[in-house]
Amino acid sequence: MAKRKTQKRKKPSKKTYKISTINKFLALLLFSLLITLAAYFILLKNHNEKKEELAKTQEQNIQFEKENNLDKILEEYEKNIKTTVVDKYEEYNKDLEKEYIHQDSKKLEDVLKEKKDTPQTVEKKVFPENNETFVEEKTQKQFPLPSLENKGQINEQKEDKVAVETPIKSTKPKLAIVIDDVTLQSQINHINDIGYTVNISLMPPTKGHKDSAKIAQKLPFVLVHFPLQAGITRFEEDYTLKVGDSYEKIEKRVAQIRAWYPNVKYTNNHTGSIFTADKTSMEYLIKALKKYDFQFIDSRTTSHSVAKEVTKEFDMPYIARNIFLDNKKDFNYIQNQLKKAIMIAKKTGSAIAIGHPYPITMKVLKKSKHLLKDIDLVYVNKLPIN
């Protein structure tokens, strides 16, 4: 048999091997480039999405600030921190700028004397009667206010601590300046430093100002500044009476205040634009005030107040403020408001001007004594009333 010829396999040439290596390198390079490009586009997409999300958030924040006026809110908040504690509880509205002028006036002391000598009229409204004697323990559950350490001493002094005033025989117009929101002895010291008769209206005691009833013992004449429901206010005084409160609840609150202030005759409302405009609520309040021998003075925080109508129902005198002094804490503004009160007093015979224990108000009153030379400065119980 013939032998097969063995074919020898040809080895790749150096040139072919070199080309193959280059191709593999290029393929690897291309693959790496594709991976890099893919990663870049993924990162770019994520970056753009985050950028769009951030821009959207910033736009929403700007819109929110526009809608809610955050700059103004923060500015007001910082301003409130710097002002006195009582300032933050105030209620501000356009009605405070309005003047109110009493008509057909006569002396309050004469009216009260007449009422003692004549039978009281029958009240026109029928309310749930509360014949239960005032029980402090029960009231404290509803109004858990701080107790007075020397409360017994206050009650013992009821007969001999009543302010006795010399009747004013002057024919000059009468002006009663009332400083509301008083809670501290330091505020009273500034008021006394004014140099003429000023009425002081004390806030009822709370945990934030426990000593207001004690302070009253040292003063010849004070009012109680009664917190009632407001329309808009940043903060609400503790135990503020609200529309919808039952007569029993309101009566207990008045009874508690009477226990703290056994000698005080007069009370004016702290805020109260909502409460004093509600007929039923005011009927409950005036009924309770009459029961505990308080006289209500309408601060007129709203032009919709029904206090005049309701006090007439209960055969009680109606007294109301004419001017607010310090809606703006500016020397010229406050002094001009005082001049308006003087003009009203000269025109009608009397006026009530309400202010607050702000340093600027104290300064204006002290420096305005020369404006009052033709006016008698009096306590509210010496004013002519309706």
Side-chain angles (χ1 to χ4, degrees), residues 279 305-314 318:
K279 188 119 184 303
S305 171
V306 295
K308 185 173 184 179
E309 178 184 352
V310 174
T311 51
K312 185 177 180 181
E313 277 187 23
F314 286 90
Y318 177 67

Side-chain angles (χ1 to χ4, degrees), residues 76-93:
E76 288 294 322
Y77 177 75
E78 291 173 358
K79 187 193 302 181
N80 286 332
I81 291 176
K82 297 175 183 177
T83 55
T84 58
V85 175
V86 294
D87 190 26
K88 69 181 181 180
Y89 293 104
E90 286 309 307
E91 174 184 17
Y92 296 101
N93 57 58

Side-chain angles (χ1 to χ4, degrees), residues 45-58:
K45 182 180 179 182
N46 290 340
H47 175 74
N48 289 336
E49 287 177 352
K50 287 182 179 180
K51 189 175 179 180
E52 289 175 4
E53 185 178 351
L54 180 62
K56 186 177 181 180
T57 302
Q58 290 176 341

Side-chain angles (χ1 to χ4, degrees), residues 90-240:
E90 286 309 307
E91 174 184 17
Y92 296 101
N93 57 58
K94 292 181 179 179
D95 284 340
L96 300 185
E97 300 289 342
K98 296 178 181 177
E99 299 172 12
Y100 178 77
I101 299 179
H102 300 269
Q103 302 293 333
D104 303 326
S105 300
K106 57 181 175 178
K107 270 194 175 182
L108 173 59
E109 56 188 1
D110 294 336
V111 173
L112 296 178
K113 186 176 183 301
E114 288 173 9
K115 292 183 183 303
K116 287 181 179 178
D117 298 335
T118 57
Q120 297 296 317
T121 58
V122 177
E123 293 161 1
K124 296 179 182 179
K125 293 287 180 180
V126 178
F127 299 98
E129 288 300 328
N130 180 18
N131 297 321
E132 184 180 348
T133 305
F134 168 61
V135 180
E136 180 182 2
E137 181 180 353
K138 187 174 181 181
T139 302
Q140 286 288 359
K141 291 180 181 178
Q142 198 161 24
F143 300 105
L145 307 185
S147 60
L148 298 176
E149 296 174 1
N150 55 347
K151 184 180 167 187
Q153 296 176 9
I154 296 177
N155 288 329
E156 289 172 5
Q157 296 170 357
K158 183 172 181 179
E159 296 301 324
D160 55 11
K161 278 294 290 183
V162 177
V164 178
E165 296 182 353
T166 303
I168 297 174
K169 298 179 180 179
S170 171
T171 57
K172 290 181 180 179
K174 309 292 186 293
L175 175 62
I177 297 174
V178 180
I179 300 299
D180 283 348
D181 295 350
V182 178
T183 59
L184 305 173
Q185 183 61 49
S186 58
Q187 295 169 333
I188 292 174
N189 294 341
H190 288 302
I191 293 170
N192 290 338
D193 191 47
I194 291 171
Y196 49 82
T197 300
V198 174
N199 294 258
I200 294 171
S201 192
L202 291 163
M203 300 291 287
T206 67
K207 292 179 181 178
H209 41 80
K210 297 180 180 180
D211 297 328
S212 58
K214 294 179 184 178
I215 291 172
Q217 300 173 62
K218 306 173 186 178
L219 301 172
F221 188 90
V222 296
L223 301 86
V224 177
H225 199 34
F226 210 124
L228 303 176
Q229 184 180 356
I232 300 175
T233 185
R234 293 185 184 85
F235 296 93
E236 186 176 73
E237 181 74 5
D238 291 342
Y239 317 113
T240 295

Side-chain angles (χ1 to χ4, degrees), residues 15-16 80 103 116 204 296 382:
K15 185 177 180 180
T16 303
N80 286 332
Q103 302 293 333
K116 287 181 179 178
F296 182 72
K382 297 300 179 185

Side-chain angles (χ1 to χ4, degrees), residues 317-359:
Y318 177 67
I319 316 172
R321 68 92 186 168
N322 303 95
I323 290 288
F324 266 109
L325 293 174
D326 47 13
N327 295 316
K328 298 177 184 177
K329 296 178 187 176
D330 174 79
F331 188 99
N332 291 332
Y333 174 86
I334 296 172
Q335 193 170 69
N336 284 335
Q337 291 296 97
L338 180 62
K339 290 177 181 177
K340 287 182 182 179
I342 294 170
M343 289 173 62
I344 293 173
K346 289 182 175 180
K347 181 178 180 180
T348 66
S350 68
I352 295 177
I354 291 180
H356 301 86
Y358 307 142

Side-chain angles (χ1 to χ4, degrees), residues 224-374:
V224 177
H225 199 34
F226 210 124
L228 303 176
Q229 184 180 356
I232 300 175
T233 185
R234 293 185 184 85
F235 296 93
E236 186 176 73
E237 181 74 5
D238 291 342
Y239 317 113
T240 295
L241 291 182
K242 297 179 173 63
V243 171
D245 285 346
S246 66
Y247 172 72
E248 182 183 22
K249 180 176 181 179
I250 292 173
E251 188 269 339
K252 286 177 181 175
R253 175 64 163 156
V254 174
Q256 185 179 51
I257 291 176
R258 169 51 72 208
W260 279 332
Y261 300 90
N263 308 313
V264 174
K265 177 76 176 178
Y266 299 88
T267 176
N268 70 318
N269 54 294
H270 171 72
T271 66
S273 59
I274 297 296
F275 192 99
T276 58
D278 185 79
K279 188 119 184 303
T280 299
S281 298
M282 283 300 293
E283 286 170 337
Y284 287 172
L285 177 64
I286 296 302
K287 177 180 172 69
L289 289 175
K290 182 175 181 179
K291 177 178 178 179
Y292 289 95
D293 196 28
F294 281 109
Q295 170 65 49
F296 182 72
I297 298 177
D298 189 0
S299 298
R300 288 192 66 83
T301 54
T302 174
S303 57
H304 301 293
S305 171
V306 295
K308 185 173 184 179
E309 178 184 352
V310 174
T311 51
K312 185 177 180 181
E313 277 187 23
F314 286 90
D315 196 33
M316 292 178 68
Y318 177 67
I319 316 172
R321 68 92 186 168
N322 303 95
I323 290 288
F324 266 109
L325 293 174
D326 47 13
N327 295 316
K328 298 177 184 177
K329 296 178 187 176
D330 174 79
F331 188 99
N332 291 332
Y333 174 86
I334 296 172
Q335 193 170 69
N336 284 335
Q337 291 296 97
L338 180 62
K339 290 177 181 177
K340 287 182 182 179
I342 294 170
M343 289 173 62
I344 293 173
K346 289 182 175 180
K347 181 178 180 180
T348 66
S350 68
I352 295 177
I354 291 180
H356 301 86
Y358 307 142
I360 185 62
T361 305
M362 301 297 99
K363 181 179 179 180
V364 172
L365 293 177
K366 189 172 182 178
K367 291 183 174 294
S368 300
K369 195 171 182 177
H370 63 284
L371 299 175
L372 304 165
K373 59 185 179 181
D374 299 324

